[in-house]
């Protein structure tokens, strides 16, 4: 029997909307008791004074990237599992942009077989490709993929062909599988590499106008309004997009929406080397080149407000590993994306919860129960006789982010070689 007693731990449970201090007894990976004070427990129970620690439902990432198969130098399934576990994620949904992509049942089976070789946690979910080869030109066999176990459909790239998108929405309506779309008009975006505005002019970098995202989003919302197929809007990054989604939700459109964790923390000033709540970044750090690009200050504040009032349902990690060689180039030439599974919760907690910009419950909700709902999964409350699908977090523990401490095979993050506060702890048990 494996047994552990957490004494006086803070329980954050968005399922029951509970934020309280209590004792929690876990036996054989199952919650045995949750009480103000537990005095009866097995004789070999490991007892931990948990003052200052937090226990919440396991974190769920709605979309991230795997290197394997095809790009093992970036990330393997094994290193992805280790990174997710180290970051507190018990469930992880993977986008289909592997090589070959997950655009047919054989590609899905290949990825599923790779994951079977490792521990049962985190639980993996797989997005199936919307279009063949992720090229945005021809639909995949959506019905076949739906029948073989994909959680939903997402290219992870904008669909520029609205006629094709219309047909996709029509075909998917009876399949009862979520569709995740990111919105960007490539012609309006042009060759921009950061959000258009004062900072892009000052830094001499070509800008991506807000309308590149919002015009594409408006078109998607019109199609959803006409056809009625539920859609998840990925990677929302502008204040105007939040406004459009707020109006669409008020009209009853069947949509959910997410932003990514870095868009909540950083804006265009970070590219200049400014980061007010920690040591400064390197100017023009290629790890700050993202897709969509970091917004202006007004965009970041609107995203935070969108989380607070429920317009944005989810904070996704969008963990995007690249090798050192791929990212060690000029900012405008760098591929877009950064890793985040291991550091997202600590940095969000320190910079948003500790500063009282977000409540602890709001943050945990958009990182756990809300993304689970988007995947069609209902996380159980932290109550007796439930599986211990939980994350243990030490919000005041300081550690150094470096190549030795990171479990991810890639280290493309602007926080590399920096100290951060807050760390997920391993749930260990004694015989």
């Amino acid at each position: 029997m494996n047994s552990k007693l957490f004494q006086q731990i803070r329980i954050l449970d968005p399922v029951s909307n509970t934020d309280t201090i209590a004792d929690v007894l876990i036996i054989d990976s199952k919650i045995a008791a949750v009480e103000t004070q537990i005095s009866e427990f097995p004789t070999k129970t490991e007892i931990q004074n948990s003052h200052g620690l937090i226990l919440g439902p396991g974190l769920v990432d709605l979309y991230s990237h795997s290197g394997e198969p095809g790009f093992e130098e970036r990330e393997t399934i094994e290193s992805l599992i280790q990174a997710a576990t180290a970051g507190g994620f018990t469930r992880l949904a993977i986008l289909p942009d592997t090589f070959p992509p997950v655009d047919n049942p054989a590609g899905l089976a290949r990825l599923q077989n790779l994951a079977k070789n490792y521990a049962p946690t985190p639980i993996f979910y797989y997005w199936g490709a919307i279009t063949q080869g992720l090229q945005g030109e021809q639909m995949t066999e959506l019905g076949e993929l739906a029948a073989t176990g994909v959680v939903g459909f997402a290219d992870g790239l904008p669909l520029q062909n609205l006629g094709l998108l219309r047909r996709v929405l029509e075909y998917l309506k009876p399949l009862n599988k979520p569709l995740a779309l990111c919105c960007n008009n490539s012609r309006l975006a042009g060759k921009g590499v950061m959000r258009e505005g004062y900072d892009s002019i000052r830094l001499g970098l070509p800008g991506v106008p807000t309308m590149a995202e919002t015009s594409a989003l408006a078109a998607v919302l019109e199609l959803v309004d006409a056809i009625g197929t539920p859609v998840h809007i990925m990677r929302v990054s502008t204040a105007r997009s939040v406004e459009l989604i707020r109006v669409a939700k008020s009209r009853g459109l069947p949509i959910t929406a997410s932003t990514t964790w870095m868009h909540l923390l950083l804006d265009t000033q970070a590219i200049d080397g400014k980061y007010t709540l920690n040591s400064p970044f390197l100017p023009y750090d290629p790890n700050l080149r993202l897709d969509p690009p970091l917004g202006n200050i007004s965009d970041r504040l609107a995203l935070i407000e969108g989380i607070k009032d429920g317009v944005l349902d989810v904070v996704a990690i969008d963990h995007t590993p690249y090798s050192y060689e791929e990212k060690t180039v000029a900012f405008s030439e760098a591929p877009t994306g950064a890793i985040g599974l291991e550091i997202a919760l600590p940095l969000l907690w320190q910079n948003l919860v500790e500063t009282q910009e977000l409540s602890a419950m709001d943050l945990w909700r958009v990182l756990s129960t809300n993304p689970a709902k988007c995947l069609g999964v209902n996380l159980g409350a932290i109550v007796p006789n439930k599986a211990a699908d939980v994350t243990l977090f030490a919000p005041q523990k300081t550690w150094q982010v470096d190549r030795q401490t990171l479990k991810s095979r890639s280290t493309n993050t602007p926080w590399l070689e920096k100290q951060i506060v807050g760390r997920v702890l391993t749930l260990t048990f004694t015989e």
Side-chain angles (χ1 to χ4, degrees):
M1 178 184 293
N2 294 317
S3 178
K4 188 159 187 175
L5 175 62
F6 297 95
Q7 293 182 322
Q8 298 305 286
I9 195 166
R10 182 182 179 185
I11 301 171
L12 273 180
D13 187 1
V15 177
S16 60
N17 201 32
T18 299
D19 183 352
T20 189
I21 305 293
D23 287 0
V24 178
L25 178 63
I26 298 178
I27 300 177
D28 291 338
S29 300
K30 192 172 183 178
I31 298 170
V34 180
E35 300 173 11
T36 303
Q37 186 173 0
I38 297 174
S39 56
E40 295 184 7
F41 43 83
T43 54
K44 293 185 178 181
T45 297
E46 180 182 349
I47 301 173
Q48 179 173 337
N49 183 342
S50 303
H51 179 74
L53 301 184
I54 292 169
L55 192 72
L59 305 187
V60 180
D61 185 26
L62 193 55
Y63 45 87
S64 276
H65 306 258
S66 170
E68 189 177 12
F71 305 100
E72 287 82 359
E73 70 280 3
R74 298 175 182 170
E75 195 84 279
T76 62
I77 291 293
E78 182 178 17
S79 65
L80 183 65
I81 288 173
Q82 292 173 345
T85 302
F89 289 86
T90 61
R91 299 169 190 267
L92 188 70
I94 299 175
L95 288 167
D97 58 344
T98 52
F99 185 78
V102 184
D103 59 0
N104 58 68
L108 175 63
R110 184 183 299 111
L111 205 51
Q112 290 172 326
N113 288 333
L114 285 170
K116 284 180 182 177
N117 296 325
Y118 302 101
T121 55
I123 298 171
F124 278 131
Y125 302 91
Y126 306 96
W127 291 100
I130 301 169
T131 63
Q132 294 183 14
L134 309 181
Q135 297 299 307
E137 296 175 356
Q138 186 174 350
M139 275 188 292
T140 57
E141 294 292 340
L142 301 173
E144 285 188 9
L145 276 170
T148 54
V150 296
V151 71
F153 295 92
D155 273 5
L157 299 168
L159 281 179
Q160 305 294 330
N161 186 335
L162 291 178
L164 175 63
L165 178 55
R166 175 189 174 183
R167 298 305 177 199
V168 168
L169 290 168
E170 291 171 341
Y171 274 102
L172 282 180
K173 192 171 184 180
L175 294 181
N176 197 31
K177 292 282 186 179
L179 174 68
L181 300 172
C182 47
C183 300
N184 181 57
N185 184 308
S186 60
R187 290 186 178 274
L188 285 173
K191 296 182 179 180
V193 297
M194 69 174 289
R195 181 63 65 206
E196 184 179 86
Y198 172 79
D199 288 324
S200 67
I201 296 171
R202 186 171 53 83
L203 294 173
L205 293 172
V208 178
T210 294
M211 69 182 77
E213 177 172 298
T214 57
S215 62
L217 173 59
V220 168
L221 295 176
E222 284 295 308
L223 289 171
V224 172
D225 191 18
I227 299 169
T229 305
V231 164
H232 179 83
I233 308 297
M234 307 167 63
R235 301 177 181 139
V236 176
S237 70
T238 69
R240 176 60 178 157
S241 292
V242 174
E243 183 181 347
L244 289 172
I245 293 167
R246 179 179 284 110
V247 172
K249 282 191 168 186
S250 71
R251 295 178 50 228
L253 266 65
I255 59 171
T256 54
S258 61
T259 188
T260 79
W261 72 284
M262 287 183 67
H263 287 85
L264 285 178
L265 294 181
L266 304 175
D267 52 53
T268 53
Q269 289 191 347
I271 300 170
D272 195 22
K274 298 175 182 177
Y275 180 49
T276 57
L277 296 175
N278 208 325
S279 56
F281 296 139
L282 292 173
Y284 300 95
D285 187 336
N287 294 314
L288 292 172
R289 179 148 189 229
L290 307 177
D291 183 22
L294 292 172
N296 295 305
I297 296 175
S298 59
D299 295 315
R300 183 176 64 82
L301 295 177
L303 294 174
I304 294 172
E305 193 62 32
I307 292 293
K308 290 163 67 174
D309 63 18
V311 172
L312 299 179
D313 305 271
V314 173
V315 173
I317 307 305
D318 205 8
H319 178 87
T320 309
Y322 282 104
S323 67
Y324 175 82
E325 291 77 14
E326 288 175 299
K327 270 291 192 177
T328 310
V329 294
F331 183 89
S332 58
E333 298 174 5
T336 56
I339 63 170
L341 285 170
E342 298 167 74
I343 60 177
L345 175 60
L347 287 165
L348 288 167
W349 187 279
Q350 188 65 26
N351 294 336
L352 296 180
V353 176
E354 293 290 347
T355 59
Q356 299 184 350
E357 290 190 74
L358 276 182
S359 73
M361 188 68 75
D362 281 344
L363 178 61
W364 214 278
R365 182 179 292 110
V366 296
L367 286 172
S368 63
T369 54
N370 278 9
K373 288 177 183 176
C374 290
L375 295 172
V377 176
N378 289 318
L379 296 183
I382 300 177
V383 294
N385 302 317
K386 295 288 187 180
D389 184 357
V390 291
T391 292
L392 179 63
F393 179 53
Q396 300 305 320
K397 184 177 178 63
T398 301
W399 59 292
Q400 179 88 0
V401 179
D402 55 35
R403 289 172 176 81
Q404 285 69 48
T405 56
L406 287 173
K407 303 299 183 182
S408 174
R409 176 165 285 197
S410 294
T411 56
N412 55 307
T413 171
W415 282 277
L416 189 66
E417 306 300 337
K418 297 184 184 300
Q419 278 197 342
I420 64 174
V421 180
R423 193 166 196 184
V424 169
L425 304 179
T426 303
L427 286 169
T428 57
F429 301 90
T430 56
E431 292 292 341

